[in-house]
Amino acid sequence: MNRRMLLTRIGSLVAALAAVLVIGLPASAQGNPPSRPTSSAQPTATIGTPAQLVGRPTPTVQPSTAAPDADTTPVNAPPDASADASEFVPFWVAAFQPTSLWSDEGSTAQSLGPATVDGPLQVRQPQSGPRLSVYDPVSQTNAWIDATAVGTIGTPTADELAALANQSPSAAFEPFWVMTDQPTSLWSSPDPAATALAAIPQWRYFQVVQLPQGTRAAVLDPRTRTSGWLDLGKVGPVGAPPTEYLQSPPPDDQTLNKPARILGNADLFDHPARADYFALGRMKTNDAIIVVGAVNRPDGTWYHLDNGEYAPAANVRLPDPPAQTFAGRWIDATLTEPVIVTAYEGSTPVYAALAVKGTTAFETPTGVFHIQWRVADETMNSETLSPPIPRDGPGGYYLEHVLDTQYFTGDGASIHYNYWYANWGYAGSHGCLGMNLTDATFFWNFATVGTTVSIHN
């Protein structure tokens, strides 16, 4: 790009940014940072600005509706394909982040190669989806580009367009595929001070769309169509991703929407059909999850979690359907191992936790009870039992600072914090339901004196 064009574009960008600050700032200040989607549906994107790279919403910049100058038509430009050219005026944009040019606007489009960052492109049709139809004055071809990867710029002069048309598109670089071989981050730029856009797990495919700069490569995620930069030391070259990698997850066979807990060390996956080689990470016993649905496959049932990930059914403990429900807030405890205690509001489960139950010698009682009294912080001493048990004798104990204790029988059976034994889901107490501190505190805040506690096998 020659000096004259660069100065012209800088001036245009400064003017555009000043207009956005004066006109659009109050509206943009009301936005919220994007959150992780819980479904595969994607909203239609509008033309972006560089601020979106760090999650700040910005106002949409509308193209001018004034009549175009005589020199705004690209050299050798094709006829305008707009459905209503009398109402739409072509305008110019430039990519402000690494991205690709695409063969069409659909999800199965083929990449035509990288778009040149800061290279001018003319929008030739009104936007009707997440991509814009553009004309590239360098290659003199039509293509599609993601709207969130570009921002509006000033109109290049006739001399600048002629200079661009005389350039030969680079044939030295061909996009290629890499895979992350360790967890890493997706960055907003190749600069050391770049912003981390997302955490990327191991074994993720990316397409390198431009020559690397320094220690990072400009990449495109083939699933989400998001772009950024990856550290070259965290990726390795691979072939194109298999077809199933790009497939959407199957619909749930059953809707659940229940709190649950992880059993064992469980790998989570982003798709039940490709669980053998696309693990996202690992959870451990008693980690809290929300199961939104179930997917039945030949290799077994998979539970669809609220964050979009999948866990094998063998690694999930869901609350059992209660034999009876009660009005208002109440607590259900299933003693069938692994033991799970569930907080209900009417018939709706709102929280579930694994718990320690009584041993064969000191079984947890079954039946319908009510919270009789509560102690926030106490010392439990077996010598106070009837009959008393010496604290140093078989079955004896002396435990200080037992927190969030809620007694539901007169002989001392309770729900409480259990810091001395953590085999969650199995026998190990003197009849109480012992929990970790987070869970005991939840039930302390959830219940009160009189709250129903239903315990069954």
Side-chain angles (χ1 to χ4, degrees):
M1 182 178 298
N2 60 36
R3 179 179 180 87
R4 178 181 176 184
M5 182 175 181
L6 178 60
L7 292 175
T8 299
R9 290 187 51 205
I10 290 175
S12 299
L13 285 173
V14 170
L17 288 173
V20 170
L21 289 174
V22 172
I23 298 172
L25 183 57
S28 66
Q30 298 173 6
N32 293 316
S35 58
R36 180 179 183 179
T38 57
S39 71
S40 58
Q42 298 294 328
T44 299
T46 53
I47 299 169
T49 68
Q52 289 176 308
L53 284 174
V54 292
R56 298 195 299 273
T58 55
T60 301
V61 180
Q62 299 296 335
S64 171
T65 57
D69 296 331
D71 60 358
T72 58
T73 302
V75 176
N76 297 325
D80 187 357
S82 171
D84 190 351
S86 63
E87 296 182 3
F88 175 77
V89 177
F91 60 99
W92 291 87
V93 298
F96 57 77
Q97 65 184 49
T99 189
S100 280
L101 294 173
W102 300 95
S103 59
D104 58 61
E105 58 184 334
S107 59
T108 59
Q110 299 296 311
S111 173
L112 303 179
T116 301
V117 174
D118 292 334
L121 298 166
Q122 189 180 47
V123 179
R124 305 288 288 164
Q125 298 180 26
Q127 182 178 349
S128 61
R131 291 185 181 147
L132 297 168
S133 175
V134 295
Y135 173 77
D136 182 356
V138 174
S139 63
Q140 301 181 39
T141 58
N142 293 317
W144 295 81
I145 194 167
D146 294 322
T148 54
V150 301
T152 55
I153 62 171
T155 301
T157 67
D159 290 341
E160 290 168 340
L161 290 172
L164 290 170
N166 291 330
Q167 295 180 13
S168 298
S170 173
F173 177 79
E174 291 289 339
F176 61 95
W177 292 96
V178 295
M179 178 180 279
T180 55
D181 52 27
Q182 56 189 295
T184 185
S185 293
L186 185 69
W187 300 98
S188 61
S189 76
D191 299 329
T195 301
L197 302 177
I200 306 299
Q202 191 177 27
W203 314 134
R204 284 293 168 274
Y205 283 94
F206 287 89
Q207 188 179 43
V208 177
V209 295
Q210 291 186 10
L211 287 171
Q213 296 185 29
T215 61
R216 289 181 181 156
V219 296
L220 181 74
D221 186 329
R223 289 181 182 165
T224 64
R225 303 295 184 180
T226 56
S227 56
W229 298 78
L230 287 178
D231 292 317
L232 292 170
K234 303 294 181 65
V235 300
V238 293
T243 302
E244 62 267 23
Y245 183 85
L246 304 176
Q247 292 176 344
S248 299
D252 294 342
D253 296 307
Q254 182 182 5
T255 300
L256 296 171
N257 293 320
K258 290 184 177 182
R261 291 297 167 114
I262 289 292
L263 299 176
N265 292 322
D267 285 327
L268 301 182
F269 304 89
D270 64 352
H271 197 302
R274 46 178 178 263
D276 288 342
Y277 40 107
F278 298 121
L280 291 171
R282 173 163 290 192
M283 300 185 78
K284 61 184 184 299
T285 295
N286 207 24
D287 281 346
I289 56 174
I290 300 294
V291 175
V292 298
V295 178
N296 300 318
R297 297 195 57 81
D299 58 347
T301 298
W302 290 82
Y303 286 131
H304 181 197
L305 310 187
D306 63 338
N307 62 2
E309 299 171 357
Y310 293 81
N315 291 111
V316 174
R317 177 61 160 111
L318 280 166
D320 295 327
Q324 60 180 322
T325 62
F326 302 86
R329 292 185 171 189
W330 62 282
I331 298 171
D332 182 81
T334 302
L335 300 183
T336 302
E337 295 179 346
V339 180
I340 191 165
V341 181
T342 308
Y344 279 85
E345 293 187 1
S347 60
T348 303
V350 296
Y351 192 88
L354 298 183
V356 175
K357 70 175 181 178
T359 63
T360 301
F362 303 94
E363 291 185 342
T364 300
T366 58
V368 177
F369 309 91
H370 296 87
I371 303 291
Q372 299 183 16
W373 77 97
R374 309 187 333 151
V375 183
D377 186 345
E378 68 175 329
T379 296
M380 290 186 173
N381 184 354
S382 62
E383 294 177 347
T384 64
L385 299 176
S386 180
I389 300 175
R391 68 170 72 177
D392 297 327
Y397 54 86
Y398 185 86
L399 302 166
E400 296 180 322
H401 299 298
V402 181
L403 306 179
D404 301 330
T405 303
Q406 303 187 84
Y407 290 96
F408 53 84
T409 68
D411 60 359
S414 64
I415 299 170
H416 61 74
Y417 171 40
N418 201 120
Y419 62 80
W420 57 93
Y421 188 81
N423 190 18
W424 309 119
Y426 299 93
S429 77
H430 280 72
C432 295
L433 294 169
M435 302 177 177
N436 66 31
L437 181 57
T438 298
D439 297 333
T441 300
F442 172 87
F443 281 95
W444 175 270
N445 294 328
F446 176 82
T448 189
V449 172
T451 298
T452 298
V453 180
S454 176
I455 304 176
H456 53 88
N457 291 307

